[in-house]
Amino acid sequence: MNIYGSEKIRKMTSSIFQEVVDRKQAVLMNGKDVIDLSIGSPDFGPPSFVMEELARYSMDPGRYGYTLKGISEFNEAVTYFYKQRYSVELDEKSEVLQLMGSQDGLAHLATAIIDPGDYVLVPDPGYPIYEASVTIAGGTIYPMPLLEKNKFLPQLDEIPLEILEKTKMMILSYPGNPVTALADRSFFAQVVEFAKVHNILIVHDFAYSELIYDGNPQISFLSVPGAKDVGVEFNSLSKTFNMAGCRIGYVAGNSQVISILASFKSHIDYGIFYPIQKAAIAALTSDYSFLKDQLKQYEARRDALVSGFRSSGWQVANSPATMFVWAKIPAGWKSRDFAFKLIDEEGIVVVPGDAFGKQGEGYVRIAMVQPPERLIEASQRVNKFLSGFPVGI
């Protein structure tokens, strides 16, 4: 008997991250020391008070049942966090929904909102779940090129009217992944007006809200007047509080969208482990000194990595945000060839830019998930690798 995946699944390519892992494992089997700068999984731990809260409630045998949905204190904690960090007022009952991570929520939102034939505007390059979620929902992707000459912002006035007439949703992410650009208030205000004119739901992925460097402002899309009329914002404790494995996040904003997604989720999951929710509440309502210290550490990592590359002439852009560097590769290379040869020869694992869309060709994404001394070593190995190829850098 032959069993085939659905047409939707067959449209999806195999994950580049799995290809990278397979390549990494082959190199490890040959005894080479590997510095993995591919997956954006924090190597820092959560604050000690968060782990203590998790441990304390985990010892209560009465907390191992279904929670069904977020406990009320969690929603209250999210509203407190958004008020304190981004000056955004939220109604905890109607404008916040707990998620099993923001990626989970992004995937489910597309299914809850999109019908076959609906178009979705997606950044290119963009995080893979954006496109995958639309494909699973049966929608149609319209890529919005993010180009360096445009400061990696989509040019909304270049989207054809016939596409906009069929568009139901637009996905944005600032600070972005893989492109680490920032958007200002004037751009978000333009997006709000655009959404109102064309009746398009705006979905903003704000997962890197607390990793913004050089004193740049933290701008939540929801802080822009009219944003809650047209959109929602996803956020997570994965990167902010290093709770990636706990799988807890949330979406905030438009109450109609929150209600639709809540209804969908009521059919497919039974809530998040109570101790994890309590740990998340402790994180969201803390004094945030942890966030300040962590930002300094990431900034030091960025500086070490970028200065190391530049010392050999590879003029990598200074990332303004996130835990990544989005690096234009030397002339004469394709992204995938560059990334895979770097793994094979130097044991440095990065992700080729074309994994994130057509416009990602010519770049690699480098995750700052190693201590500074390992990042310096990585830059030295990369520089050694580049010295063996007489091409422009």
Side-chain angles (χ1 to χ4, degrees):
M1 180 174 68
N2 291 323
I3 300 176
Y4 301 97
S6 69
E7 182 180 349
K8 294 173 185 177
I9 292 297
R10 294 199 300 273
K11 286 182 180 179
M12 299 168 67
T13 58
S14 61
S15 170
I16 180 60
F17 297 106
Q18 187 57 53
E19 293 183 52
V20 168
V21 167
D22 292 343
R23 202 89 175 202
K24 169 188 168 182
Q25 291 302 320
V27 170
L28 284 170
M29 290 292 288
N30 290 329
K32 186 182 291 290
D33 176 54
V34 169
I35 302 178
D36 192 344
L37 308 178
S38 60
I39 305 299
S41 182
D43 60 312
F44 295 119
S48 58
F49 64 85
V50 170
M51 293 187 286
E52 289 164 5
E53 193 79 346
L54 178 61
R56 181 162 72 92
Y57 281 96
S58 294
M59 294 305 294
D60 183 348
R63 298 301 184 184
Y64 281 76
Y66 297 130
T67 56
L68 298 181
K69 60 181 182 178
I71 59 179
S72 60
E73 295 97 320
F74 177 85
N75 284 28
E76 292 166 5
V78 171
T79 62
Y80 178 82
F81 183 77
Y82 256 62
K83 176 64 175 177
Q84 297 299 313
R85 303 300 292 179
Y86 317 124
S87 299
V88 172
E89 298 275 2
L90 295 170
D91 183 330
E92 68 269 18
K93 293 181 179 179
S94 64
E95 295 180 339
V96 178
L97 180 67
Q98 186 181 96
L99 305 169
M100 293 180 176
S102 56
Q103 175 154 316
D104 171 281
L106 285 160
H108 290 160
L109 179 66
T111 300
I113 295 290
I114 299 303
D115 289 315
D118 289 338
Y119 274 66
V120 179
L121 309 178
V122 174
D124 178 10
Y127 193 61
I129 192 58
Y130 303 157
E131 182 171 339
S133 68
V134 178
T135 300
I136 292 169
T140 302
I141 295 290
Y142 185 86
M144 300 183 295
L146 304 186
L147 306 178
E148 186 176 1
K149 67 179 182 179
N150 298 324
K151 299 181 179 179
F152 297 109
L153 298 173
Q155 302 303 288
L156 303 180
D157 57 355
E158 295 180 3
I159 303 171
L161 183 59
E162 60 267 26
I163 296 297
L164 294 176
E165 290 172 346
K166 296 179 286 187
T167 296
K168 197 168 188 179
M169 191 164 79
M170 176 198 295
I171 302 175
L172 296 171
S173 179
Y174 293 99
N177 175 19
V179 179
T180 61
L182 297 172
D184 59 19
R185 290 190 181 280
S186 64
F187 172 75
F188 281 144
Q190 178 189 359
V191 168
V192 169
E193 183 60 28
F194 184 83
K196 289 181 177 179
V197 170
H198 298 288
N199 195 33
I200 295 172
L201 170 64
I202 304 301
V203 176
H204 185 234
D205 183 2
F206 201 33
Y208 294 92
S209 59
E210 293 296 327
L211 294 180
I212 299 175
Y213 309 126
D214 306 317
N216 286 306
Q218 300 166 301
I219 304 176
S220 163
F221 173 68
L222 298 182
S223 69
V224 176
K228 285 197 286 187
D229 296 333
V230 300
V232 293
E233 185 164 81
F234 285 82
N235 212 325
S236 168
L237 283 85
S238 295
K239 310 304 193 283
T240 301
F241 294 102
N242 305 320
M243 297 173 67
C246 293
R247 305 315 303 141
I248 186 166
Y250 51 90
V251 59
N254 186 278
S255 59
Q256 289 180 291
V257 176
I258 297 295
S259 178
I260 292 168
L261 185 54
S263 176
F264 179 84
K265 283 174 56 63
S266 71
H267 294 283
I268 59 174
D269 66 53
Y270 287 91
I272 295 170
F273 189 36
Y274 186 91
I276 291 176
Q277 294 194 50
K278 294 297 285 188
I281 292 165
L284 291 167
T285 58
S286 65
D287 65 4
Y288 309 131
S289 58
F290 169 84
L291 299 178
K292 185 177 180 180
D293 294 341
Q294 178 172 265
L295 185 64
K296 289 180 180 178
Q297 293 185 68
Y298 270 116
E299 206 161 12
R301 291 180 176 200
R302 179 204 61 177
D303 293 344
L305 188 64
V306 171
S307 63
F309 288 142
R310 289 179 175 177
S311 67
S312 69
W314 187 17
Q315 296 304 311
V316 172
N318 208 29
S319 179
T322 79
M323 59 172 55
F324 305 111
V325 170
W326 182 241
K328 183 181 289 186
I329 61 177
W333 288 94
K334 291 289 187 181
S335 294
R336 203 159 294 210
D337 294 338
F338 182 90
F340 286 167
K341 200 165 188 67
L342 192 57
I343 296 173
D344 294 344
E345 297 201 2
E346 297 297 336
I348 306 300
V349 188
V350 300
V351 180
D354 66 331
F356 303 99
K358 179 181 177 182
Q359 300 300 332
E361 180 56 68
Y363 293 83
V364 292
R365 193 192 72 175
I366 306 169
M368 301 182 291
V369 292
Q370 299 282 347
E373 59 270 20
R374 288 289 273 175
L375 293 175
I376 292 171
E377 182 181 349
S379 67
Q380 292 170 344
R381 291 193 204 177
V382 172
N383 295 341
K384 174 175 172 285
F385 169 78
L386 291 174
S387 69
F389 297 94
V391 296
I393 59 173

